[in-house]
Amino acid sequence: MNTTNPADPTDTGEPPAAAPQRDPRATRRTPPPPSADEPPPNATHPIHLGVLLPTGTAQWSKDDDPRDLIALGRTAEHLGFTSLFVNDSLITPRIEALTMLAALAATTETATLGTGALLPFLRRPVQTAQTLASIDLLSHGRLALAVGAGFPGRFGRPFYDLSEVPWPRRFARLDETVRLWRALWQGADSFHGEFHHFTDLPPALRPTRPTGPPVWLAGATPTALARTGRLYDGWLPYPPDPADYTTGLHDIHQAATAAGRSPEAITPALFVTVRIDDDPQTARAALDDYARATYGMPLPELEKIQAVAAGTAEQVAQRLDRYVTAGARHLVTRPAALNLRAQREQMERVAVLIPDLTTPSPPRTRVRPGQ
């Protein structure tokens, strides 16, 4: 996520792989009451269910073949998932995000290809614009980008140092980098911002859509919500409480309206870790193993700061439906499994839920008291 406030340490851009977000309940406002006087939010958005592919070695067994990730992506598409997301990092043990998407562009047909989230500061911005346009064209316009600025912890500031990019003003730098991408994609011959200055730009590769792939923002601080409404095409947070999702989405819609944008132009997405088993305790135990392997923390700590859903298929469906009711329209699920075979089994279990989740009852709109 990003913000113009360089002192804000809570903004994050890598929900699946970096250190988790601060617990939003620490500063949570009282959820506003539902209103019957307003139309349901995002009424024109269909419900999509996507999956995060396990590109990090923490989710592989010693015998797993990384090339099987391509087959896993094809399997997910055949199961009915409408998007395939990958995570981003610098030198952690993980298949590089844009390399993975390029492989999927040539081997899948219909699924949106996304990042959750891409960290633009890791790459030279002009080169990245060209790479992203290439993936978009090779996938016939299926690319969608969630972006962020990274965490203050071990997955954030050290990466800035290794990338030789200043830590201060990182959120403003993120915004400007996205503006530069969009300018290049639309044929700009110059660009002058706070951080990037180019004159006599040569022609760049043009992506499928005139304005380029949609760019979402990851994160949920107040400044990030405002910037999502003003500048971005979508929102990809992971709040542990659906009520916080409703409140955040309301703030985004307010910011969009104030900026002269339609709230319906912003895709409301959600990142959520899932585990389905016949026995609820088995599901929680498996998710606990996943949390410890991925984050070095037990499940009771992780579920305070990230959206998770564990239990039987019915219990997980009920949990996900609460976010749909809160306004989420693109759910990116991360299967909590520690080898590729188990990842596929979890994808098959989650895919069974797709028909029910994609035909929900209308969500309830919440507004703040006095509005």
Side-chain angles (χ1 to χ4, degrees), residues 4-318:
T4 55
N5 179 3
D8 186 350
T10 62
D11 281 346
T12 167
E14 195 181 23
Q21 283 178 310
R22 182 185 62 183
D23 184 356
R25 289 174 291 187
T27 57
R28 188 173 70 204
R29 294 155 287 183
T30 301
S35 170
D37 299 327
E38 297 185 7
N42 317 303
T44 63
H45 284 290
I47 309 299
H48 292 280
L49 194 67
V51 64
L52 182 88
L53 296 178
T55 55
T57 59
Q59 286 78 53
W60 305 350
S61 70
K62 63 179 181 179
D63 298 323
D64 282 333
D65 185 342
R67 292 173 297 181
D68 288 341
L69 291 168
I70 297 173
L72 197 64
R74 291 199 301 266
T75 296
E77 187 176 66
H78 294 156
L79 287 171
F81 289 95
T82 57
S83 65
L84 307 173
F85 275 69
V86 297
N87 212 341
D88 193 24
S89 59
L90 182 59
I91 58 172
T92 53
R94 182 187 308 280
I95 299 294
E96 195 275 327
L98 301 185
T99 302
M100 188 73 242
L101 291 187
L104 293 170
T107 54
T108 59
E109 298 293 336
T110 60
T112 295
L113 305 179
T115 56
L118 188 73
L119 303 174
F121 72 87
L122 302 181
R123 302 167 177 85
R124 305 293 286 181
V126 173
Q127 179 186 16
T128 304
Q130 186 83 348
T131 301
L132 294 173
S134 299
I135 295 172
D136 188 66
L137 288 171
L138 291 172
S139 67
H140 291 166
R142 291 186 285 130
L143 183 63
L145 305 164
V147 298
F151 280 88
R154 62 191 177 98
F155 292 103
R157 187 157 192 165
F159 286 177
Y160 276 79
D161 295 337
L162 289 170
S163 300
E164 299 180 324
V165 175
W167 178 253
R169 303 285 293 157
R170 60 195 182 279
F171 307 118
R173 180 183 295 272
L174 173 62
D175 279 351
E176 185 174 296
T177 298
V178 172
R179 285 198 296 110
L180 173 58
W181 292 349
R182 288 169 169 165
L184 289 166
W185 292 333
Q186 296 178 62
D189 57 9
S190 65
F191 183 91
H192 299 285
E194 179 182 352
F195 308 101
H196 307 102
H197 301 274
F198 300 102
T199 57
D200 298 323
L201 283 167
L205 186 66
R206 306 290 284 271
T208 304
R209 284 156 285 197
T211 56
V215 185
W216 304 353
L217 192 63
T221 63
T223 48
L225 299 175
R227 295 172 83 128
T228 300
R230 293 198 311 269
L231 303 171
Y232 287 86
D233 304 307
W235 182 43
L236 183 63
Y238 53 100
D241 190 330
D244 290 329
Y245 192 96
T246 303
T247 302
L249 188 58
H250 176 262
D251 289 352
I252 288 172
H253 286 179
Q254 279 197 320
T257 300
R261 303 181 67 205
S262 168
E264 294 296 330
I266 301 168
T267 299
L270 172 78
F271 177 82
V272 55
T273 302
V274 299
R275 177 73 190 202
I276 298 177
D277 283 290
D278 295 335
D279 177 64
Q281 294 306 314
T282 301
R284 286 190 60 82
L287 187 49
D288 183 72
D289 290 342
Y290 185 90
R292 293 175 187 272
T294 304
Y295 291 110
M297 67 170 60
L299 175 58
E301 293 301 313
L302 181 66
E303 63 188 349
K304 293 178 182 177
I305 49 183
Q306 286 194 7
V308 301
T312 65
E314 181 180 5
Q315 290 171 328
V316 170
Q318 290 173 349

Side-chain angles (χ1 to χ4, degrees), residues 279-367:
D279 177 64
Q281 294 306 314
T282 301
R284 286 190 60 82
L287 187 49
D288 183 72
D289 290 342
Y290 185 90
R292 293 175 187 272
T294 304
Y295 291 110
M297 67 170 60
L299 175 58
E301 293 301 313
L302 181 66
E303 63 188 349
K304 293 178 182 177
I305 49 183
Q306 286 194 7
V308 301
T312 65
E314 181 180 5
Q315 290 171 328
V316 170
Q318 290 173 349
R319 172 71 168 163
L320 297 180
D321 187 64
R322 291 184 61 199
Y323 284 100
V324 172
T325 301
R329 288 294 176 270
H330 195 133
L331 281 62
V332 180
T333 60
R334 174 174 62 171
L338 295 176
N339 62 71
L340 298 187
R341 179 185 60 80
Q343 286 275 340
R344 176 170 178 155
E345 292 173 353
Q346 282 298 303
M347 288 195 324
E348 291 172 348
R349 285 177 174 263
V350 175
V352 175
L353 309 180
I354 291 175
D356 290 336
L357 289 172
T358 54
T359 54
S361 58
R364 300 166 70 186
T365 299
R366 297 174 184 247
V367 296

